[in-house]
Amino acid sequence: GITWTLEASPNPNVTSPNTDQAELNGVSCVGGHLCVASGDAYPGSGTDNTTLVESAPIVRPGYRLVASDGGIFTFGGASFNGSAGGLTLNKPIVGMAATPDGGGYWLVASDGGVFAFGDAGFYGSMGGRPLNRPVTGITPAQDGAGYRLVASDGGIFSFGGAAFYGSTGALSLVAPVRGMAPTPDGGGYWMVAADGGIFAFGDAGFYGSGAG
């Protein structure tokens, strides 16, 4: 949001001096967090016209904090896309997750209610449905088209395109689950308990824990 950085891009070999044969046709930036550019190149007689399209996220270093009443506090380049601060909530907010492009976020309350802001889509929630234990966190699907909720007993609730890889909902835990994180490729996740115990599912590797 402050300076421009030159990025590597396709550069077809266009030998003609006619500049119309290699040109940028347009660029569009969506919501201040993603830009898409298009153009075309015509290398010369007897060859096909090549259409080029590139997209790139606009990275603005920063972070957001969420309060238990759903109030949002932004720092650095993190965008403000709305909050639940003015709403009357049934239960306090206990977790937050950003969309992959940073243009929105979800908030989750301890009753499993989900609140979506910016380009974050709403795919369902556990609000109003009976829970064995309260929800303690939320993580997004890799493509942003869904999310998972985790409860303090390690139960997992998947919505949209977020895959389910297992849970500790049927186990007797020494300490309640407090948080969750997805693997980079979205093919698994880790859960962490209040005693530092780690539970790995899908393609998430186990590398040790703080339990005991």
Side-chain angles (χ1 to χ4, degrees):
I2 298 174
T3 60
W4 289 95
T5 301
L6 182 65
E7 297 289 343
S9 62
N11 188 24
N13 181 22
V14 179
T15 58
S16 170
N18 185 349
T19 56
D20 289 341
Q21 292 188 340
E23 60 185 4
L24 172 70
N25 293 327
V27 61
S28 174
C29 294
V30 184
H33 58 267
L34 179 69
C35 285
V36 179
S38 65
D40 64 85
Y42 183 64
S45 176
T47 58
D48 294 331
N49 186 297
T50 301
T51 300
L52 307 174
V53 178
E54 275 209 345
S55 63
I58 301 174
V59 179
R60 296 190 174 104
Y63 45 84
R64 307 178 184 94
L65 307 182
V66 60
S68 60
D69 66 350
I72 300 293
F73 306 90
T74 62
F75 299 87
S79 62
F80 175 80
N81 301 105
S83 79
L87 303 178
T88 300
L89 303 178
N90 294 325
K91 295 292 182 178
I93 299 296
V94 293
M96 182 184 192
T99 56
D101 63 9
Y105 41 81
W106 298 275
L107 309 182
V108 64
S110 62
D111 64 352
V114 174
F115 306 87
F117 300 92
D119 65 4
F122 179 77
Y123 300 96
S125 78
M126 294 301 293
R129 299 163 68 177
L131 298 174
N132 293 328
R133 293 290 187 273
V135 168
T136 58
I138 181 172
T139 62
Q142 185 187 26
D143 61 0
Y147 40 78
R148 304 178 191 89
L149 311 183
V150 61
S152 63
D153 63 353
I156 299 292
F157 308 95
S158 296
F159 297 90
F164 174 79
Y165 297 106
S167 77
T168 61
L171 302 180
S172 178
L173 303 180
V174 175
V177 171
R178 294 300 191 208
M180 182 183 187
T183 57
D185 66 1
Y189 42 78
W190 296 274
M191 294 187 289
V192 61
D195 64 350
I198 298 292
F199 305 91
F201 298 91
D203 66 3
F206 180 77
Y207 303 99
S209 77

